[in-house]
Amino acid sequence: MASPTFWISTAPLASDGELTLGQLSGPYVAADVLARFLRAEGRGVLFTGATADHSAAVEVRALRRGRSAAGVAEGFRAAIDADRRRAGIAFDRIVSSHGDRGYSRWLRTLVAWLHAQGMLAPLERPLPHCAPCARWLHGAHVTGGCPHCGTAADGAGCHGCARPFDAAELTGPVCALCSAPVEARACPRLFLRLERFRDPR
């Protein structure tokens, strides 16, 4: 098969819940419409997606239900696939981090390349920690208030104002599993160096 002229990809399909109307009408329908338009123009297109099986939200849901994260992701992936088929969204390929051979090797290769390029910086920065659970909290593992607008948010970001922040900046943070108040502690973490790509203008 010849290489496609256009490669269209979407954000990973959330695998911790059913697809929402916003997800269907936003990135997925829009990308599908673009793919169909380009094909009608005679262009080669590869339309790909993926499932976010390793998101913190999947793990939190699994821990609450006493199930494996892989089992939770698989169940919702099937429901998501049925929803997008009913909506007529036709991906050429949906990558599964659990099911596709070579995915783990590819990811390890990518991280090793980023490290070799000096793009990953090991730094010690504050991160919420739950003493009762003896767990570092990130993403969906911690909830609180957005430090910018005050809307309820988790460590992954604010759906109210959409401004980025670090999980340690949440106001009134609590553990999503046991609801205990948490404190920020110094934690060794890897950061992606993006400053070099800042537009100087």
Side-chain angles (χ1 to χ4, degrees), residues 114-139:
L114 289 171
H115 185 269
Q117 298 297 313
M119 296 294 294
L120 295 178
L123 302 172
E124 193 169 84
R125 292 287 186 270
L127 190 68
H129 184 271
C130 178
C133 293
R135 183 187 296 271
W136 292 104
L137 307 180
H138 60 92

Side-chain angles (χ1 to χ4, degrees), residues 42-64:
R43 311 290 185 88
V45 175
L46 179 63
F47 181 25
T48 66
T51 51
D53 299 340
H54 295 298
S55 72
V58 171
E59 184 182 16
V60 168
R61 189 179 287 264
L63 290 170
R64 285 175 174 166

Side-chain angles (χ1 to χ4, degrees), residues 35-96:
R36 291 170 189 263
F37 170 78
L38 291 171
R39 286 177 180 138
E41 294 265 301
R43 311 290 185 88
V45 175
L46 179 63
F47 181 25
T48 66
T51 51
D53 299 340
H54 295 298
S55 72
V58 171
E59 184 182 16
V60 168
R61 189 179 287 264
L63 290 170
R64 285 175 174 166
R65 297 184 175 185
R67 298 177 56 194
S68 71
V72 168
E74 181 60 37
F76 281 114
R77 187 164 50 242
I80 289 168
D81 193 52
D83 286 345
R84 65 99 180 165
R85 287 180 187 276
R86 282 194 292 268
I89 300 170
F91 286 97
D92 293 312
R93 179 163 177 72
I94 297 180
V95 177
S96 168

